[in-house]
Amino acid sequence: MRALISVTDKTGIEDLAKGLSDLGVEIVSTGGTYKKIKESGVEAIEIDEITNFPEILEGRVKTLSPYVHGGILYKRDEDSHVATVKEHNIKPIDIVVVNLYEFQKALEKGNPEDIIENIDIGGPSMVRSAAKNHKDVLIVTDPDDYDELLERIKNDDLDLSYRQNLAMKAYNLTAFYDSVIARYFSELTGEEGKYKTYGFEKESELRYGENPGQEAALYNDPFVKGLMENMEVIHGKEMSYNNYNDLNPALELAQELGENAVVALKHQSPCGVAQRQSVYESYIKAYECDSQSIFGGIVSVNGIVDEKTAEEMNKIFLEIIAARDFTDEALEVLTQKKNVRLVKINFDNQTVKEEIRYLNGKVLIQGKDFGEDEVEIVTDKKPTEAEIKDLLFAQKVVKYVKSNAIVVAKDMQTLGCGAGQQSRIWALESIKDHFKDRDFTGAAMGSDAFFPFPDTVELAHEMGISSIIQPGGSIKDQDSIDKCNEYEMSMVFGKSRHFKH
């Protein structure tokens, strides 16, 4: 048997080369890999002895040769193929061990010339050739598979199932690799082609999905340095599917609001949000919004959790507390509970620009719903500066509340989040009915979409709400505006609708 070894990631390569050599496998290698193998004391043949041609163009051309691909691709059980390689003195290559140039690392460094030079050509070509002819050629692209390869060769256990599994991993790698390159050029040009390519790298298996009967895993998008990039779970149980799913909107909202924002969230919808001068005050106000729903929920803190805040948090059960950081004193308090997950997050990371939803055989992709601060005053009464701040705050929060959604806020604190109602007025009624004793006088109200009828304005007036933000767009907008004028309430139109289904 003959093996061609050409790898960028040289993890375990000396042991593999020695193991193959001990099993009587002849080794052909290239460049730095050849040097590494020779330094380990294992005999190898340099690639240009096979191709009868030196590496050229700074290494861009070294394995693109019929003496390489012919030796990989010919069918061992096809007489015409056997005759052809014999005629041209092409020797068989039975094992191909290849991994690819580090394009992602070059991308992170950002040097355009280096990025282009790290687009591998020969590597993917050999991988694809060997994977195509997997019936006759073993293709190994993952250092984790080296030990099994040696064991199977030793035991002559190289059945078709094993070969197909290696081919699957090979095409998995080249598809992922090409997807990252395609996205690079899409970002570079600002254009989209006919095909939308994403490549995700598995980070970990999860115990189960949304429910125990569903399998799940966590994947990383190497192209996006998002909020969860390098997140660190510093205490508590392993994160679950639902933990990740719920944590994401809590982080996004805390990031959008900015410094000292605290978001309490339950089942993907905020239940209490506040932004005050300190993390402690923000947490207290977020908790006060809905002290019942926050129990067993998630708290995201765009700031540092101190001891005083930790003591308040420790009074109830929370699934996750995610923050920029925790003081040592806060950790002493919070780690007393073994089940709470404490997570450190870098809120300075970028947020994603697209959202993906996989349907039953179709995929929906949309741009991210980013906020804006421009408003149009449409009523006789103008909102005060304080009301404008609360209106914009309510508008940012309502984007993260399931539609139909209403958020009532005052002094940069939510007083109620009405979520997931089939009728818009029901969303406001749920706030009124749930918090019967709450004083909503002078509060601001945000709606994720327009009012088809003035009834929501009427109920808001009854509750004492003084100002409203909504996107407008109804043929009956004027009815709601007139009702606000009648009640001497202010109303502003935002630029966008903010449905979240």
Side-chain angles (χ1 to χ4, degrees):
M1 295 180 78
R2 173 182 274 189
L4 171 57
I5 306 177
S6 180
V7 293
T8 299
D9 178 2
K10 295 177 175 56
T11 303
I13 207 65
E14 298 101 324
D15 291 339
L16 174 65
K18 186 177 186 310
L20 289 172
S21 181
D22 290 346
L23 291 168
V25 178
E26 186 178 51
I27 296 173
V28 179
S29 192
T30 64
T33 308
Y34 170 79
K35 184 179 178 182
K36 191 87 170 175
I37 291 171
K38 290 288 286 184
E39 287 174 352
S40 71
V42 176
E43 285 300 313
I45 301 170
E46 202 161 7
I47 192 68
D48 56 11
E49 293 182 39
I50 301 299
T51 61
N52 297 314
F53 205 90
E55 291 185 13
I56 61 171
L57 306 178
E58 299 176 305
R60 282 188 169 197
V61 178
K62 53 188 172 186
T63 58
L64 299 172
S65 163
Y67 288 100
V68 173
H69 289 275
I72 295 171
L73 277 166
Y74 85 91
K75 298 178 183 178
R76 273 60 167 175
D77 58 359
E78 181 70 47
D79 291 344
S80 63
H81 282 215
V82 173
T84 297
V85 296
K86 186 175 181 180
E87 177 187 351
H88 294 285
N89 197 29
I90 296 173
K91 293 185 178 180
I93 296 173
D94 309 295
I95 305 168
V96 174
V97 181
V98 172
N99 51 57
L100 310 179
Y101 291 172
E102 294 178 326
F103 180 80
Q104 289 170 236
K105 286 190 177 179
L107 203 59
E108 290 170 8
K109 293 177 181 177
N111 182 321
E113 189 173 325
D114 193 41
I115 289 170
I116 297 302
E117 287 309 311
N118 274 278
I119 297 176
D120 201 339
I121 303 301
S125 298
M126 288 188 290
V127 169
R128 292 176 64 85
S129 292
K132 176 173 181 174
N133 204 26
H134 62 271
K135 185 166 68 73
D136 296 316
V137 180
L138 297 161
I139 172 62
V140 183
T141 56
D142 187 345
D144 289 341
D145 290 331
Y146 292 170
D147 289 343
E148 183 180 3
L149 173 69
L150 293 172
E151 189 66 23
R152 283 182 174 270
I153 294 173
K154 180 180 177 181
N155 296 322
D156 194 23
D157 183 19
L158 302 170
D159 59 16
L160 182 60
S161 176
Y162 172 63
R163 292 171 178 273
Q164 289 173 335
N165 188 263
L166 291 177
M168 175 275 295
K169 291 183 178 182
Y171 285 122
N172 200 237
L173 172 63
T174 56
F176 171 78
Y177 191 80
D178 284 342
S179 75
V180 178
I181 296 172
R183 288 173 72 182
Y184 164 71
F185 279 102
S186 183
E187 289 276 324
L188 187 68
T189 61
E191 300 289 339
E192 293 283 355
K194 178 179 179 181
Y195 305 102
K196 190 75 171 173
T197 57
Y198 290 92
F200 304 128
E201 186 173 3
K202 184 182 282 188
E203 187 172 309
S204 64
E205 296 281 351
L206 299 176
R207 285 179 297 163
Y208 53 82
E210 204 163 7
N211 298 291
Q214 296 170 265
E215 294 181 358
L218 180 68
Y219 289 80
N220 183 50
D221 185 343
F223 209 83
V224 178
K225 301 299 180 188
L227 277 169
M228 290 192 179
E229 177 77 13
N230 300 325
M231 63 173 276
E232 184 182 1
V233 181
I234 60 176
H235 174 78
K237 296 190 298 185
E238 178 186 351
M239 294 276 286
S240 70
Y241 177 97
N242 289 330
N243 290 153
Y244 282 111
N245 206 28
D246 285 344
L247 179 59
N248 187 66
L251 295 177
E252 289 185 334
L253 177 51
Q255 182 192 50
E256 185 169 341
L257 289 172
E259 188 177 0
N260 294 331
V262 172
V263 177
L265 180 140
K266 192 74 166 286
H267 301 315
Q268 286 224 300
S269 211
C271 58
V273 183
Q275 187 177 23
R276 296 293 182 89
Q277 292 300 310
S278 68
V279 166
Y280 173 77
E281 189 179 2
S282 296
Y283 173 74
I284 294 298
K285 293 303 179 183
Y287 171 81
E288 286 175 353
C289 176
D290 191 344
S291 58
Q292 183 175 353
S293 295
I294 193 176
F295 185 88
I298 287 172
V299 171
S300 173
V301 180
N302 193 342
I304 299 173
V305 176
D306 59 15
E307 183 179 19
K308 187 178 179 183
T309 310
E311 287 173 346
E312 290 297 326
M313 291 175 166
N314 218 34
K315 291 178 180 179
I316 61 170
F317 169 62
L318 295 170
E319 281 275 357
I320 301 173
I321 302 170
R324 283 185 178 271
D325 209 345
F326 303 81
T327 66
D328 292 341
E329 295 79 8
L331 288 175
E332 277 189 41
V333 174
L334 294 172
T335 54
Q336 292 172 15
K337 292 185 176 179
K338 65 179 182 179
N339 288 333
V340 64
R341 298 161 177 87
L342 304 180
V343 180
K344 288 175 67 172
I345 293 291
N346 182 0
F347 282 97
D348 298 324
N349 281 353
Q350 70 189 72
T351 190
V352 294
K353 297 177 182 178
E354 295 177 318
E355 295 176 330
I356 306 172
R357 186 173 295 183
Y358 197 91
L359 309 181
N360 205 325
K362 299 287 185 182
V363 178
L364 291 173
I365 301 174
Q366 66 175 356
K368 190 76 176 171
D369 181 11
F370 290 106
E372 72 288 316
D373 292 339
E374 294 180 34
V375 297
E376 176 191 1
I377 300 170
V378 295
T379 51
D380 297 336
K381 183 180 179 182
K382 296 181 178 180
T384 65
E385 286 188 18
E387 285 174 331
I388 286 287
K389 284 181 66 176
D390 284 336
L391 288 169
L392 294 175
F393 174 81
Q395 180 180 243
K396 287 180 179 180
V397 176
V398 83
K399 289 197 312 176
Y400 294 86
V401 180
K402 295 292 186 180
S403 300
N404 286 325
I406 293 286
V407 168
V408 180
K410 187 177 182 181
D411 299 330
M412 304 295 281
Q413 169 197 359
T414 55
L415 300 181
C417 301
Q421 300 297 321
Q422 286 76 17
S423 171
R424 189 155 305 282
I425 192 170
W426 293 351
L428 183 56
E429 285 175 346
S430 70
I431 296 173
K432 178 177 180 289
D433 294 344
H434 191 67
F435 305 108
K436 290 184 172 63
D437 299 325
R438 183 157 292 169
D439 183 7
F440 296 102
T441 304
M445 184 180 84
S447 174
D448 63 351
F450 62 65
F451 302 137
F453 306 103
D455 52 359
T456 308
V457 176
E458 292 173 346
L459 180 57
H461 169 68
E462 180 187 322
M463 293 168 64
I465 292 167
S466 63
S467 192
I468 297 171
I469 185 168
Q470 56 123 330
S474 170
I475 59 173
K476 296 185 177 181
D477 276 344
Q478 194 60 46
D479 291 351
S480 294
I481 295 170
D482 291 343
K483 192 59 68 174
C484 281
N485 287 332
E486 178 185 337
Y487 294 140
E488 296 185 344
M489 299 168 66
S490 61
M491 178 183 284
V492 304
F493 283 2
K495 289 179 62 179
S496 304
R497 190 180 72 183
H498 296 296
F499 274 148
K500 186 175 181 63
H501 289 115

